[in-house]
Amino acid sequence: MKRLWWIFFLMIWPVLAVIVSLLTPQLQWGFPLSGQSDSPLGGEIDHLFYLILIITGVVFVGTHIALGYVIWTASNRPGDRRAWYTHGNHKLEMTWTIIPGLILLFLAFYQMRTWAEFRMEEAYPEAAKQNIVAEVNARQFEWRIRYPAPGKELQRKPQLDDMYGVNELHVPAGSPVTIHLRTIDVQHSFFLPTMRIKQDAVPGLVIPVWFEASEPGEYPLVCAELCGWGHYKMGAKVVAHPPEEFDEFMKKMHQAQFNDGFAAE
Amino acid sequence: MPFWKTCNFRCCCVPLLLVSLLAGLTGCERVDSQFRFSEETELLAPQAEQAVKQTLVANFGSPDDPRIPVFFPVERGQISLTVADFDPEKPTELLIEKPDGEVELVGKRLELLFDPEDAFDVQMEAMEEEQPNPLDGLDQLTIAGYDAETGTITLTQPLPDVELIEPGLELAAAPNSYLAEGERLYAQHCLHCHGVTGDGNGPTAQYMEPKPRDYRQGKFKFTSTGPQDRASDADLAHILREGIPGTYMPSFKMLPEEQISRLVNYVKFLAMRGETEQALNIEVGLDFASKVLEEELEDVTDPEEIQEIKADFNEELDEFILEVYPEIALFGMLDLADAWDAANDEDAIVYPTTARPEPFGPSVADPSRTSVENGRVLYLGKDAQCASCHGDAGRGDGFQTRQLQKRRDGSDYDVPGLHDDWANPLKPRDLTSDIYRGGRRPIDIFRRIHVGIKGTPMPAFGGKSLTDDQIWDIVNFVMTLPHDKGPTTSHPPAEGAVGMVGNE
């Protein structure tokens, strides 16, 4: 019986945790299959994620080895005295406070550049600041998107020649783009899981969000803030076009937006 | 003792685990749902009510087994077969023309697709000769076996010896499979607002303003078809994909094409079922609603006389149901099918006959003004009277929104303002809000004015009070209203304008 807990803490629990975290990428439980995201910034975020996972993983396994050792030696001790009172060990306390403190400090500095690039407007890449493609309006329960007319800049107020879409955000691939995120009702969250982008949409605010799709293709866009009974309906997609085809596509969209049906005769 | 055998663990964790498992299981169970009959049906005299309900169940089934007569223009899904030969000596065997490719037929339901009018004549003939209906029970036909070599279908029950079963007769195996798929998708995406019956009264409908569409009148607001036409498949699919901004109807753009088409079909199916019910209620309810009898009995006190009137009423009703009703039901449905069919006709779609002029370029209808200016003059003018509902400044606050309006039966509504055909209060669109429910392309707004918005007081102006060039000017004016550039007060009121201009 005494050994049972030793087996549990040293063998079952940490071994299970390591096995599961190794298997997870293959099972697609929210891990990227290849460890690669669909955007350059996402790669940095993945790197941070795995770094923290490895640090905490080593600490987790180490603590369990220590715990197992304590249980093992205690269960071998003769006599029926089970525990004794101790005031603690000052050196030990200092060690296990300072080391994690240093690790946290390291992480805090290490992630600063990535975080700033993602969230601080002044650290955005220059190209992202130049290339504001659309205004994304979240609402219960869809994404309404407003684009400026080809060759024009996005204005805060809707313009006569703006173009509109729903649940499909069209962007050029291979360069950073910015969207202006708004909500017309409650709080939503603009989530591009494969690009590691997540930003809440807050009533009354216009929040610039930049991202870059590495390759042309379709990427999921979902709402990551429980916004009401239809939250699950807010599935949409980002369509990244080859850069050389993007302008042509926007021109076609403009024609479709201002279709007067006459040519259809 | 190992920890999983301790009392603590057993007493607390095991029941908890079981309870959560059970809760998970019951949560996924399918709720048994049925189509609801309309209030008018419930108010018919009992025998009439029975007849109408039977017609609906026989022709449209239930949510678990949705079905629709083949003459309705709905893609209901089926394996199409053709009779090659039928020998009345062997009534359980049917020779078919071999279908292309392999088909799984055994165990499937089989429908004989008679011409509905011919089948009707055969049944009526049998009734007049007081013979049993030869086509009775044919909706229960099931394929027991199929010999692919010879193309022989064996049936679970014998076929009647009628001339209708002849070479060339079309058959449908496994009918209504698309409808069943549509029902599943509808239950998943639409039912919680639009309701099982499509009456716009699902569980979440109570939280909504405006109310979810009630399909049962067959009226869909935003169509590309003429003012009297039903909605085309493309119209319904367009609304599913784009959603309706300004309402709770979201976009279902992420659904694959095939699922959108199943949903469109199922919505049409619900509309047709509802319209059939409504049409029958009008036909039957005129003479045989419960209140007709009540009115007849109102001033009668003599019990014998009451009995007599009741007997007369019932006798008349029985005769009606036996002799007149089947015809009304069948031809009512055939008319309805034609109407829906016409909506998918290329000719039904409204296109402008002229191109849209530049908003700030000269108007075609009145070259002395720019298009937007002329649009404003028309907007305020007598012919279109847009301002009477939408307001002088387009804010949806015209004087009609403060007037008491009349119901279809001539009585006043309880609250002032406009109402739709479902008697819900309705606000005219605030044209400065930059929200266009039926779509914001120029062609969308053109059609809103040309064919109107069905089921609402927004009339169709096309071809009657306005020319296409004039409509384009109004479209241009309306499109500039939400923007700063739009002209508001810099021009004097137009000649013959209704109301004041620029009272903002």
Side-chain angles (χ1 to χ4, degrees), chain A residues 36-44 194-197 211-214:
Chain A
Q36 294 289 311
S37 79
D38 295 331
S39 77
L41 183 72
E44 291 178 36
T194 61
M195 295 191 213
R196 318 285 185 258
I197 299 286
F211 58 89
E212 177 182 343
S214 313

Side-chain angles (χ1 to χ4, degrees), chain B residues 183-203:
Chain B
E183 194 275 334
R184 277 194 293 279
L185 290 165
Y186 181 85
Q188 192 180 346
H189 299 294
C190 323
L191 178 148
H192 60 80
C193 288
H194 291 286
V196 176
T197 321
D199 54 2
N201 207 6

Side-chain angles (χ1 to χ4, degrees), chain B residues 30-70:
Chain B
R30 221 190 120 98
V31 182
D32 180 38
S33 54
Q34 287 303 321
F35 289 138
R36 243 188 313 212
F37 297 102
S38 74
E39 239 172 81
E40 289 79 27
T41 308
E42 308 287 351
L43 289 175
L44 294 175
Q47 299 98 307
E49 182 190 325
Q50 208 57 37
V52 170
K53 284 183 177 178
Q54 251 170 23
T55 307
L56 287 172
V57 171
N59 288 293
F60 299 97
S62 67
D64 291 327
D65 176 25
R67 57 173 77 168
I68 192 162
V70 72

